[in-house]
Amino acid sequence: MLKLEVCCYGVDCASAAEKAGADRIELCAAPSEGGLTPSAGSLIQVREAVTIPVHPIVRPRGGDFCFTNTEFNEIKSDIAFIRELGFPGLVVGLLDVDGHIDLPRMQQVMALCEGMAVTFHRAFDLCHSPIVALQQLTDLGVARILTSGQQQSAESGLMLLKELNRVTRGPIIMAGAGVRLSNLQKFIDAGLSELHSSASQRVASPMRYRKAGVSMSSVAETDEFSRTCVDSDMVEAMKVAMSHSSPVRVA
């Protein structure tokens, strides 16, 4: 069965995605950073508001995935909190200085996540050897790998995605990065059974008064009066398209 995971940056977006037919939510904060660990309040509220599986991301900062000891302790604390709240899974990824899977730390992560479904996120797209990494993550017991096929977009990385999907003996290969209604059939035709999309749109602020010339971001052109939200119509359209297709078995 084809499944659509929607990346949501907040409780309202997660609720909208569920109503539109999403199969699973990846809950994040900070879209401009590519997704960071959600706040405690967001985690607690989404557990009350959403009934489909929600997998929060555990990522303490933007940038690379080679973390200091302090950052790793933060990761472990967040995992413990997420597990205590009863989430069925989470999304995480750690690399070492040479771009390989950080096996000693991932072993600790997997022990902390016992009984939960672990997605290894797009840290995979920065790793040195994707086939070796796939085997290591298989041995660790990771449930799925979110990847763009080590390219800027999943469509550009389709060749590697197909190969990973062909050889995997455990983790589900889930395509993500630029997956949208216009190209999702390409991933289905490639034999992928799970797709990840932000299905997002920019929504204008409801504020009538708008102070000009002041930004909360160091990026001067940031628009403080719009934000990233899920496009529920897009989620619904993607699910309709997926319901009319079936994953192709690739030998």
Side-chain angles (χ1 to χ4, degrees):
M1 180 180 176
L2 296 169
K3 290 188 176 181
L4 177 64
E5 178 180 274
V6 178
C7 179
C8 293
Y9 295 95
V11 181
D12 289 340
C13 287
S15 296
E18 177 180 33
K19 291 175 183 175
D23 297 294
R24 184 173 57 245
I25 301 296
E26 182 196 39
L27 185 67
C28 306
S32 62
E33 294 281 6
L36 302 181
T37 308
S39 70
S42 180
L43 289 166
I44 291 168
Q45 291 298 313
V46 83
R47 284 292 291 156
E48 297 178 0
V50 177
T51 60
I52 61 173
V54 176
H55 292 186
I57 194 172
V58 180
R59 185 182 177 212
R61 58 158 172 79
D64 64 46
F65 302 99
C66 184
F67 298 105
T68 66
N69 288 333
T70 301
E71 290 167 341
F72 184 51
N73 286 334
E74 185 179 345
I75 287 169
K76 291 188 289 185
S77 294
D78 286 334
I79 289 173
F81 182 60
I82 288 167
R83 182 172 182 174
E84 181 182 340
L85 289 174
F87 285 92
L90 54 77
V91 183
V92 68
L94 299 96
L95 302 178
D96 65 21
V97 294
D98 294 312
H100 302 298
I101 305 298
D102 190 334
L103 286 174
R105 284 179 166 177
M106 278 302 299
Q107 287 165 351
Q108 292 183 59
V109 165
M110 296 306 293
L112 288 170
C113 294
E114 186 176 359
M116 302 174 71
V118 174
T119 297
F120 193 92
H121 58 43
R122 289 190 64 214
F124 185 88
D125 291 324
L126 299 183
C127 76
H128 184 271
S129 174
I131 301 300
V132 172
L134 172 59
Q135 184 57 57
Q136 292 173 328
L137 294 173
T138 301
D139 294 341
L140 284 166
V142 164
R144 64 181 49 80
I145 299 169
L146 170 60
T147 173
S148 64
Q150 295 207 319
Q151 299 296 321
Q152 188 64 26
S153 72
E155 189 169 350
S156 297
L158 197 54
M159 184 177 296
L160 179 57
L161 287 169
K162 290 171 69 173
E163 176 65 10
L164 292 168
N165 194 53
R166 185 184 68 83
V167 302
T168 186
R169 296 297 177 264
I172 295 166
I173 304 302
M174 179 168 61
V179 175
R180 52 181 61 90
L181 181 62
S182 61
N183 63 12
L184 66 82
Q185 190 62 46
K186 293 182 180 180
F187 303 104
I188 297 170
D189 291 344
L192 297 163
S193 61
E194 295 198 6
L195 304 178
H196 171 100
S197 178
S198 62
S200 63
Q201 61 181 338
R202 295 294 292 180
V203 175
S205 166
M207 292 187 68
R208 289 189 294 270
Y209 174 73
R210 301 191 176 193
K211 173 67 176 176
V214 178
S215 173
M216 299 296 107
S217 172
S218 60
V219 181
E221 62 270 20
T222 298
D223 178 9
E224 300 296 348
F225 298 101
S226 69
R227 63 189 185 278
T228 299
C229 292
V230 71
D231 183 342
S232 55
D233 290 340
M234 180 60 67
V235 173
E236 185 174 359
M238 292 178 76
K239 280 299 298 178
V240 168
M242 292 169 77
S243 71
H244 295 151
S245 300
S246 58
V248 176
R249 292 188 178 274
V250 179

